[in-house]
Every structure is written in C-alpha cells, then in structure tokens.
Amino acid sequence: DLHFNISPLVREGHFLGVPDMSHKEGRRKQELLQSDCEDMVHLHNSLPSYCVNFNAPGAGATQNHVHIHAWRQTFRYPVETAPQLQGTEEWSVGECQIQLLDYPASVVKLSSPRQAGSAEETGGVIFALLEAAKIRGGVSWNVVLSRGDAYVFLRSGEKSDAIPGLTIGCAQLMGFWTVDTTAQFDTLRGGAIRDALTDTSVSTAVASEIVSAAVLTTRLLNHCLEDTDHKSSR
C-alpha cells in the first residue's frame, strides 16, 4: 500500500510504502526480505526521480514499523559525489560493482548499468549485505536508492552526543538535514555532523568484513543456481 506522508511534508511528494496488513504475511518485523529489496530497486528504476529508502530498527526511523520512504529528489546528495575509500577493495557480483566510500558514515555503494544489471541481482546483493550485517551482530543499517545507485549504511547506533536530541536516518546520512529550532541549527554547526556520522557508524574493518561475506555468499549462491540450471538443461 502507498500513502502520502504528511510529516515531514515535502511539497514535491513524499510517500510511504507499507505491506498489505490485511494479509498475514504483511504483519511482520521491521526488516527487509529479499523480495522487498528487489521491489525497492524495481520501484526506483521505474521512478528514477524519486529517492527510495528504508530505516532499520536502531537506524533513525521516527516510527518503528515496516515501511519504505519514497520522495521526489530535486538535487544531488553529498554522498553521491564521494569517491571510493582509498586502500579498500572493489568487489563485483555480475554487473553490480561494490565499493566502500570515503565519507564520514560507513557506506557501501552498489552501481550497475541500469540496462545490464537486473533488479533481482542488485536486490540480491543488498539483501546479502543485510544478512551479513545481521550475522556479524551489533550492526543496524539503512538502504537508500538514489539516481540509479544503491547505498547501504552500516550503523553502530542512531544517536550521537555530538548532536544531542537529534536522530540520524536516511536523509541525514545522505547529507540532508532539517531542523525545527535555532538551537538545533546551532548544534549542527562546525564539525558536529561529521562527528555524529562517524560516531554512529561501524569501522572500515567491520564494513569490509560484512561486504566480503555478502559477496562470497552471493557468488556461491549464483554458482549453485547456474550449476543446477546447467544440469537440468542436459
């Protein structure tokens, strides 16, 4: 189900997608299934001018229930210009290229030529990252699709002493902040935002471990599926 979101109000359009609660399978935890990840990529590919995103528990959701956001995007977020983090590996799964970015928050970027890479492939890699983070333990996450690329933020928390009273979700991680008071605006001055993003992120070592595990799992699964298809075609 898709609903217009009134808070925060976005003139260009801000929508919430929630499972159909009339069905038993729609009444579930605040986490993404692989089919959800694939659906998010499908939705973004169909509406490329919209930013599609999801906050996991402990990762900045204002309401903790299973839902995705989709809002009209009229500008480029700072994270979208971040280069690959120097000294880190670049992974690939099929057409999907995977990098850690040089950015205050720990973020994995997934890029794939829209015509070459399928939503199933990109969605599968996203889901593998979330599962690897779950197995690692103590890691929450945010998923964002923006301008044809996917970003998975790996989190150690959602609040920082550097910006007391403020919670960090998808928009803030991407580099867009809104405030309600002058005091909140003053809180964000100087290096407070950078400190807060770093405070609430996992280390580069942990992020690399999670990505490596997710890539290995996905490659093994793809190999098994290809082997099964090959045998069945004999």
Side-chain angles (χ1 to χ4, degrees):
D1 291 344
L2 200 63
H3 305 271
F4 191 82
N5 192 31
I6 61 173
S7 180
L9 183 63
V10 178
R11 183 177 59 185
E12 294 82 4
H14 182 180
F15 302 91
L16 294 181
V18 298
D20 186 348
M21 298 299 178
S22 65
H23 296 285
K24 183 179 179 180
E25 57 270 21
R27 301 189 289 273
R28 53 188 172 86
K29 295 180 181 179
Q30 185 183 340
E31 60 185 22
L32 293 176
L33 308 176
Q34 181 164 341
S35 58
D36 296 323
C37 297
E38 294 171 3
D39 287 346
M40 287 179 69
V41 180
H42 274 300
L43 178 62
H44 179 60
N45 287 350
S46 300
L47 299 169
S49 62
Y50 277 77
C51 178
V52 179
N53 52 84
F54 181 92
N55 298 306
T62 54
Q63 297 293 328
N64 282 301
H65 64 93
V66 59
H67 65 285
I68 65 167
H69 291 265
W71 57 67
R72 186 70 178 271
Q73 185 176 348
T74 56
F75 53 86
R76 187 174 296 277
Y77 288 110
V79 73
E80 296 179 271
T81 62
Q84 180 179 351
L85 182 60
Q86 192 172 13
T88 58
E89 185 178 350
E90 182 169 3
W91 300 265
S92 64
V93 174
E95 296 290 340
C96 186
Q97 302 298 312
I98 307 162
Q99 300 176 332
L100 291 177
L101 297 186
D102 188 358
Y103 192 70
S106 180
V107 55
V108 186
K109 180 180 180 180
L110 288 71
S111 303
S112 184
R114 192 162 298 176
Q115 298 303 317
S118 69
E120 287 73 21
E121 181 175 81
T122 303
V125 176
I126 292 172
F127 182 70
L129 286 167
L130 308 187
E131 288 295 288
K134 184 189 296 185
I135 292 170
R136 177 63 172 72
V139 181
S140 191
W141 43 263
N142 307 75
V143 177
V144 182
L145 292 115
S146 176
R147 297 184 185 274
D149 295 322
Y151 301 86
V152 178
F153 294 88
L154 299 171
R155 313 286 303 281
S156 59
E158 61 183 353
K159 294 184 179 182
S160 167
D161 291 339
I163 52 170
L166 294 173
T167 301
I168 303 172
C170 286
Q172 294 78 24
L173 290 164
M174 295 291 282
F176 184 80
W177 293 74
T178 57
V179 295
D180 298 317
T181 66
T182 302
Q184 288 182 345
F185 179 80
D186 290 338
T187 297
L188 297 177
R189 289 183 173 183
I193 289 177
R194 173 176 289 274
D195 291 344
L197 293 180
T198 303
D199 288 348
T200 57
S201 293
V202 302
S203 67
T204 298
V206 171
S208 295
E209 176 189 325
I210 289 170
V211 177
S212 295
V215 169
L216 178 60
T217 300
T218 306
R219 287 175 178 170
L220 287 173
L221 178 60
N222 289 346
H223 178 74
C224 291
L225 292 174
E226 290 171 2
D227 189 52
T228 301
D229 290 342
H230 178 70
K231 289 178 180 179
S232 63
S233 64
R234 288 179 179 176

